[in-house]
Amino acid sequence: MSQHNIIDKKNISKFDQFYRANFVNSLSGFKSANLLGTKDKSGNTNLSVISSAFHLGAEPALIGFIIRPDTVPRHSLNNIRETKVCTLNHINDLIFKQAHHTSARYPKEVSEFLACDLQEEYIGGFYAPFVLESKIKMALELIREVKIEENGTHLLICTIEKVILPKECISNDGTIAIENCGTVTVSGLNTYHRTTTLERLKYAKPR
Amino acid sequence: MSQHNIIDKKNISKFDQFYRANFVNSLSGFKSANLLGTKDKSGNTNLSVISSAFHLGAEPALIGFIIRPDTVPRHSLNNIRETKVCTLNHINDLIFKQAHHTSARYPKEVSEFLACDLQEEYIGGFYAPFVLESKIKMALELIREVKIEENGTHLLICTIEKVILPKECISNDGTIAIENCGTVTVSGLNTYHRTTTLERLKYAKPR
């Protein structure tokens, strides 16, 4: 009766590698868009666009993100393992092009801050670099790394140590108006979007 | 010199519980907005809004999501443990109010499909119910559950078994135009947003 376009697991595994990456990366929905700032023990900084950061818990305040060991953000992973700290910086509509460019494969000795025209910022003595141009940013400390055996990726579980943001974007109930700070969202591998609020709904109760 | 509003870990832990939940849930950035469809062995269906689904890998095609054991989606967790399957259905701008309402604490014998005015749909013999009104939906199979000891939540790692979507929203390179399908995004606990594409950027190369 109804017309469904069904693509099954076998179809997906036969897709060309890039087609598959684009397709599967679109499936979970809109993704968070952050820059991951790190610095190795010798002081070399690294900056990497990351779309896998997700809320893991409010008490304690935890954020998780996925890093692939064998692709672009390898320097980030090594730096976090070495120093146990990193920063997460919201990508906004003024810097999304530079932010995306950090995904290019620069050699370790090149800092993506310099290569992609973004400024390092140090706040409150925290070792890892923040992104000056980002309006909402966090200092994170690694608690634990969970190996995802199914594909060799790593889930990094981090505590939120500090949050730096404009005070005026915090609502009376604690919600942060991230849309008003220009925070963007990503779909697939490389499409960036601005948002428009549909509605802020109430805490739901059975009716 | 520069004016930063710094909120540290101690400040966050002293926040009122609801203020803290709103605040910390805003920090990772925009979140995916999906409905998680499940059915227990006896045939009782459950539907739950979930904003923690994230891309975990393209080959094999994996999606991860976080479930709290002690809050709303407990029925979902039990059903997935029992049957090893679930569906993930993109929330679009026509159903976001009903979708959000599935987060109310209905007793187990009440199906959120009925209570929230969304229709069950069965496709290709898959046991778990899809949401008819959703345009992009997936059949998932549980591979593994990872306990997050830090806060008692559970990471569920699932394979994507089937994808059901309108063919016309798949671009030549595999990217799905989720914006054109009305897919929405969430910030904080309860703010829903539509998106507007800023730009689709190219695969980045060092310059």
Side-chain angles (χ1 to χ4, degrees), chain B residues 9-78:
Chain B
K9 196 160 69 166
K10 279 182 201 161
N11 303 135
I12 297 174
S13 73
K14 283 177 195 156
F15 285 164
D16 157 81
Q17 183 189 343
F18 291 101
Y19 190 97
R20 181 172 55 235
N22 287 323
F23 184 79
V24 182
N25 266 280
S26 306
L27 288 174
S28 59
F30 286 103
K31 300 189 282 189
S32 56
N34 285 286
L35 282 163
L36 181 66
T38 59
K39 186 162 72 170
D40 71 11
K41 276 186 182 167
S42 314
N44 299 303
T45 58
N46 190 278
L47 193 63
S48 163
V49 63
I50 190 161
S51 63
S52 64
F54 60 92
H55 172 79
L56 193 48
E59 176 61 359
L62 298 178
I63 276 191
F65 55 88
I66 303 293
I67 288 195
R68 283 175 252 189
D70 52 351
T71 55
V72 176
R74 189 180 212 165
H75 305 149
S76 305
L77 181 59
N78 290 342

Side-chain angles (χ1 to χ4, degrees), chain A residues 4 7 27 90 121 163 193, chain B residues 4 7 27 90 121 163 179:
Chain A
H4 293 300
I7 295 169
L27 289 175
H90 280 208
E121 182 185 29
V163 181
H193 311 253
Chain B
H4 292 302
I7 295 169
L27 288 174
H90 280 209
E121 182 185 29
V163 180
E179 180 172 286

